[in-house]
């Protein structure tokens, strides 16, 4: 997952609104979002190469997403897709409890940023600065750097989400458009992450299309004040939508 924008406890009717794009090689095998047969409480897409996920939620209302760091960093052997998956497969009393274990094993993974929580709590951690932060109400962005790094596409995503959440009623079909821009930014605004100017240009839009790599899906998560969850995913291949948007709705269950 390479671009996430979210509104936490910032809408009168929806305490959690998340819109995220997953950018990946087109040939990496992937299963579309669904409830997993081996973990029926878990709703997520699945990386069929390593077995984990980039973004998911469970029936208890806990959600998580992970991004990597562009241009290098740590080099670990374990898949970063484990990080959201392990949080969602069982009940954790608090995000902090889970993050303590994540930070203890941080060197086992290549560079990552992890967001996790529920409608009541939100936390962020990464294994480059080794920091864990509990977040308050607000609108946040996460791309392939630290939380709220003001890359042009992240700032555009924030602006688009802030506009979208002005509506009283939100629909996943409409929120997919928050991260739909394919417009590259001028060179003078691009970060220098060590991948070269041509690649910086290619990666600069919220929605990426290139020869072998790009946005594979856009995911929307909405949770309202009554605990009703709407999880939607539109998949893409080389910039073209594949099938209709997949939508799942359920009400948060109390942990057993």
């Amino acid at each position: 997952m390479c671009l996430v924008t979210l509104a936490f406890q910032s809408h009168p009717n929806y305490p959690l609104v998340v819109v995220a794009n997953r950018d990946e090689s087109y040939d990496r095998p992937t299963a579309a979002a669904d409830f997993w047969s081996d973990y029926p409480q878990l709703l997520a897409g699945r990386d069929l190469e390593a077995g984990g996920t980039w973004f998911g939620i469970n029936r208890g209302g806990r959600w998580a997403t992970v991004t990597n760091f562009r241009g290098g960093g740590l080099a670990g052997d374990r898949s970063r897709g484990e990080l959201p998956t392990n949080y969602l497969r069982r009940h954790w009393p608090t995000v902090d409890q889970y993050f303590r274990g994540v930070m203890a094993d941080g060197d086992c993974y290549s560079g990552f940023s992890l967001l996790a929580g529920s409608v009541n709590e939100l936390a962020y951690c990464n294994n480059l600065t080794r920091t864990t932060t509990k977040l308050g109400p607000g609108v946040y962005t996460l791309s392939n750097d630290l939380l709220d790094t003001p890359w042009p596409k992240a700032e555009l995503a924030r602006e688009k989400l802030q506009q979208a959440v002005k509506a009283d009623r939100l629909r996943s079909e409409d929120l997919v458009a928050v991260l739909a821009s394919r417009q590259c930014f001028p060179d003078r605004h691009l970060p220098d992450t060590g991948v070269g100017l041509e690649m910086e240009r290619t990666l600069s839009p919220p929605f990426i299309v290139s020869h072998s790599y790009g946005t594979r899906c856009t995911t929307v998560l909405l949770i309202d004040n009554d605990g009703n969850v709407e999880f939607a995913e539109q998949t893409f291949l080389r910039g073209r939508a594949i099938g209709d948007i997949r939508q799942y709705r359920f009400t948060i269950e109390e942990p057993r």
Side-chain angles (χ1 to χ4, degrees):
M1 183 69 68
C2 291
L3 182 58
V4 183
T5 184
L6 66 102
F8 176 61
Q9 296 182 350
S10 299
H11 190 285
N13 302 318
Y14 301 88
L16 185 64
V17 183
V18 187
V19 187
N21 278 355
R22 182 205 183 204
D23 306 325
E24 184 55 83
S25 298
Y26 295 136
D27 60 0
R28 189 170 180 114
T30 299
D34 205 342
F35 286 99
W36 291 13
S37 60
D38 47 346
Y39 296 101
Q41 294 290 311
L42 199 168
L43 171 61
R46 197 164 197 172
D47 172 21
L48 298 180
E49 185 170 301
T53 191
W54 55 93
F55 184 165
I57 186 170
N58 62 27
R59 289 193 177 273
R62 300 281 180 171
W63 74 280
T65 187
V66 66
T67 66
N68 61 16
F69 279 87
R70 188 189 301 173
L74 297 173
D77 295 330
R78 290 168 61 178
S79 168
R80 287 169 290 212
E82 295 179 0
L83 298 168
T85 305
N86 290 341
Y87 178 66
L88 299 172
R89 289 192 305 183
R90 55 169 289 193
H91 174 68
W92 296 89
T94 65
V95 181
D96 288 342
Q97 185 183 71
Y98 179 64
F99 277 9
R100 283 195 293 271
V102 168
M103 288 293 94
D105 292 338
D107 289 339
C108 299
Y109 302 92
S110 296
F112 70 81
S113 284
L114 179 65
L115 280 165
S118 66
V119 295
N120 299 314
E121 61 175 347
L122 176 65
Y124 165 76
C125 71
N126 72 85
N127 65 340
L128 266 68
T129 66
R130 292 303 185 114
T131 55
T132 297
T133 306
K134 194 160 188 178
L135 303 172
V139 176
Y140 300 94
T141 63
L142 178 62
S143 189
N144 303 112
D145 206 285
L146 300 174
L147 183 73
D148 281 339
T149 296
W151 286 1
K153 68 177 179 180
E155 291 304 285
L156 178 61
R158 184 195 305 275
E159 177 185 332
K160 292 284 191 181
L161 184 62
Q162 287 172 329
Q163 288 295 320
V165 298
K166 290 180 179 179
D168 291 335
R169 181 173 179 268
L170 303 180
R171 302 186 334 137
S172 58
E173 300 96 321
D174 300 329
L175 290 171
V176 167
V178 166
L179 299 184
S181 175
R182 306 183 185 193
Q183 182 69 43
C184 294
F185 290 91
D187 291 352
R188 66 183 182 277
H189 297 310
L190 302 182
D192 181 2
T193 62
V195 299
L197 181 57
E198 189 62 38
M199 184 57 71
E200 297 288 5
R201 291 170 182 154
T202 299
L203 300 178
S204 69
F207 191 106
I208 297 169
V209 182
S210 71
H211 175 69
S212 60
Y213 176 92
T215 299
R216 297 280 302 271
C217 69
T218 300
T219 307
V220 176
L221 172 62
L222 292 170
I223 305 181
D224 69 16
N225 289 328
D226 296 320
N228 297 311
V229 175
E230 182 174 344
F231 184 100
E233 178 190 86
Q234 177 64 63
T235 58
F236 300 91
L237 183 62
R238 293 180 172 84
R240 296 185 178 183
I242 304 300
D244 296 328
I245 190 170
R246 300 168 65 91
Q247 294 172 299
Y248 298 85
R249 295 177 177 87
F250 62 92
T251 302
I252 293 172
E253 300 175 354
E254 293 296 325
R256 297 177 181 176

